[in-house]
Amino acid sequence: QLQLQEAGPGLVKPSETLSLTCAVSGSSISRDGYYWGWIRQPPGKGLEWIGSIHYTGSTYYNPSLKSRATIFVDTSKDQFSLRLRSVTAADTAMYYCASLVPVAGVNRGYFDHWGQGTLVTVSS
Amino acid sequence: DIQMTQSPSTLSASVGDRVTITCRASQSISIWLAWYQQKPGKAPKLLIYRASSLESGVPSRFSGSGSGTEFTLTISSLQPDDFATYYCQHYDSYSLTFGGGTRVEIK
């Protein structure tokens, strides 16, 4: 059974960089046909896709976050990571990692397994 | 980007009611739509993909329909475990977007 687990600091100062890692277990991150994504949810609000990565390193980003977000993969550790630069209070959210099944093309699919999420607060 | 609009934003219903949630896309997305259920403090859970395909293990009282720009999620007989927030998500392009969510609360 595929499982994902987010890890990272729960508190980040404004203007600094948010860094999170998602550990994949129960399957290899190099599993053919899967992409790996980050989604966030501000307190009391809806879901926002941040970006996705394929194990080959191909990345896809939400246009609204593309200038600040970087996603990279470490296949030797079966994990992928998110860095979000120059954070503000608006980046305070629950951050989820999830596996994406690309049934309709490159990064075009749905999220079938999710991590439990990790709350990141941006505050001085 | 394709915008997804859900209605209503909140729905009050009783156990046993038939419930319908609507999701509209700003342009045609064929059948490339998924539905998720999220309970407080929990990660979303996939219910439906490809507009009408039921994810394994999801009760058959959940069903999805639609194509193009208008989609519906129906719960045929609302159960106590179904009180939650529901989101649609399109995957017609690589830039994925979710609807704003529909909260189903107890009447």
Side-chain angles (χ1 to χ4, degrees):
Chain A
Q1 172 73 351
L2 181 61
Q3 292 184 314
L4 300 98
Q5 179 68 58
E6 306 87 351
L11 182 64
V12 181
K13 290 182 169 57
S15 79
E16 294 192 345
T17 297
L18 177 161
S19 296
L20 297 174
T21 295
C22 181
V24 176
S25 60
S27 182
S28 169
I29 201 167
S30 304
R31 173 178 180 170
D32 211 16
Y34 262 70
Y35 287 66
W36 307 93
W38 288 98
I39 302 101
R40 70 180 182 178
Q41 184 173 36
K45 296 189 177 180
L47 300 165
E48 179 180 38
W49 170 71
I50 299 170
S52 306
I53 191 165
H54 189 255
Y55 79 90
T56 55
S58 297
T59 51
Y60 310 86
Y61 296 103
N62 184 322
S64 69
L65 294 168
K66 186 175 183 178
S67 63
R68 297 194 294 129
T70 301
I71 298 174
F72 53 97
V73 65
D74 186 337
T75 55
S76 67
K77 295 182 179 178
D78 279 328
Q79 63 186 34
F80 62 106
S81 301
L82 168 70
R83 287 186 183 155
L84 188 65
R85 297 176 291 280
S86 304
V87 298
T88 69
D91 295 309
T92 293
M94 184 72 78
Y95 284 76
Y96 296 99
C97 60
S99 55
L100 183 149
V101 183
V103 293
V106 169
N107 199 55
R108 292 173 56 194
Y110 51 85
F111 298 100
D112 65 341
H113 292 87
W114 296 66
Q116 64 186 25
T118 186
L119 179 63
V120 178
T121 301
V122 178
S123 175
S124 55
Chain B
D1 272 7
I2 299 171
Q3 306 303 314
M4 307 302 294
T5 303
Q6 286 184 235
S7 61
S9 56
T10 305
L11 186 159
S12 297
S14 302
V15 172
D17 283 353
R18 181 182 181 87
V19 166
T20 299
I21 298 168
T22 298
C23 178
R24 289 186 174 87
S26 59
Q27 65 187 65
S28 178
I29 59 169
S30 185
I31 57 168
W32 306 126
L33 186 95
W35 289 97
Y36 302 86
Q37 176 193 67
Q38 186 180 34
K39 296 181 180 178
K42 299 294 185 181
K45 171 189 172 184
L46 177 67
L47 299 176
I48 302 278
Y49 60 93
R50 204 172 287 181
S52 61
S53 297
L54 197 66
E55 173 71 345
S56 176
V58 174
S60 59
R61 62 181 180 272
F62 290 92
S63 64
S65 65
S67 65
T69 61
E70 187 154 335
F71 302 84
T72 58
L73 173 70
T74 299
I75 309 172
S76 60
S77 178
L78 197 66
Q79 298 302 301
D81 191 48
D82 302 337
F83 291 97
T85 301
Y86 295 84
Y87 293 93
C88 61
Q89 175 232 320
H90 90 82
Y91 48 98
D92 186 66
S93 69
Y94 84 89
S95 184
L96 311 172
T97 51
F98 293 86
T102 295
R103 182 185 173 198
V104 177
E105 59 181 29
I106 301 172
K107 191 172 184 178

